[in-house]
Every structure is written in C-alpha cells, then in structure tokens.
Amino acid sequence: MIRITKQTDYGIVLLTHLAGAPERHVNAPELAGETHLPLPMVSKILKILVREGLLASHRGVKGGYSLSRPPGAISMAEVVTALEGPIAITECIDDNGGCEHSTACAVRGRWHRINTALREALAGISLAEMTDAPRPEPKLVTLGGRPALAITA
C-alpha cells in the first residue's frame, strides 16, 4: 500500500485550513484547536513548512503563521516534497537509491514513467483546489408544475 505519512496528512489539513482565510495569521495553539490536531505535531509541521517556504512566520502580538503565497500558487507536489522529501515511488527512482539491482532492472524505466505521472498529477493540483469550497444552497425550482429541490453550482 502506498501512503503518505501522518505528518504529511496533517500538513495538508493545516495548509487547507490556512487557505480558507489566506489573509489571517494564526498561531500554533489556535491551529491545533481549530483543526483538532495535537499541538506538538502542529508545531513541528509549521516549522518545516516555514523552512520549506510554504508558510510565513509573523512575530508580535498579531503574529502567527500564514501562507507564503496564494493557495492557487502552491501545488500538492510542493507540499508532499516539503514534508516527505523528493517524490520517489521506489528506491531506484533516485540515482542514489539503495537497490543493488537497479543497473540491470528490466522495469526501472517503467517506474520512472509512473513516478513522473504521480509527480505531474500532484503538481497539477493546487492547495486552492484542496480547500473546501462553499457548497451551493439548494433552491426550490418547478419541474413539470411540481416544486423540487435543485442544487446549482
């Protein structure tokens, strides 16, 4: 099974929460409370995201953390790379990988193709797309003379 770590999962939760109000500065305890995540993990993730340039840290009374760029300008590939390291689905993807069979492996090139597709898929999804969009409210419309609920996008 291929899975991202809990740290990356929580990092995405934090970033999407911040993306919901990108002009707001939020401190670690507030973020932990609002997202229901453990404060030690939130603090650790925020430090990584600042170091990797995805968040900005603001000092002072109205300080806290905010996105370093608009949510539409941050890709999920950047987020995953910041929290997991380079996207490499197998050891042989990285030329410094530890596989002793990589030079004679018949499927190595195919793994590169799969890895590239995965990286491109993540690069094609922005943080803005991961943020909960407001849901349209149902409206009462008339269908064939009878009232019915319709949801418009």
Side-chain angles (χ1 to χ4, degrees), residues 94-136:
D94 183 7
D95 290 331
N96 299 326
C99 181
E100 61 191 56
H101 305 288
S102 64
T103 57
C105 182
V107 295
R108 184 171 190 237
R110 285 149 185 91
W111 278 121
H112 276 283
R113 184 174 166 211
I114 292 167
N115 200 74
T116 298
L118 176 61
R119 190 180 313 112
E120 288 173 356
L122 290 169
I125 300 170
S126 73
L127 183 58
E129 293 175 75
M130 294 292 291
T131 305
D132 284 336
R135 297 175 193 248

Side-chain angles (χ1 to χ4, degrees), residues 136-143 146-152:
E137 293 195 25
K139 295 182 180 180
L140 193 59
V141 295
T142 305
L143 297 173
R146 305 175 85 186
L149 284 179
I151 298 179
T152 57

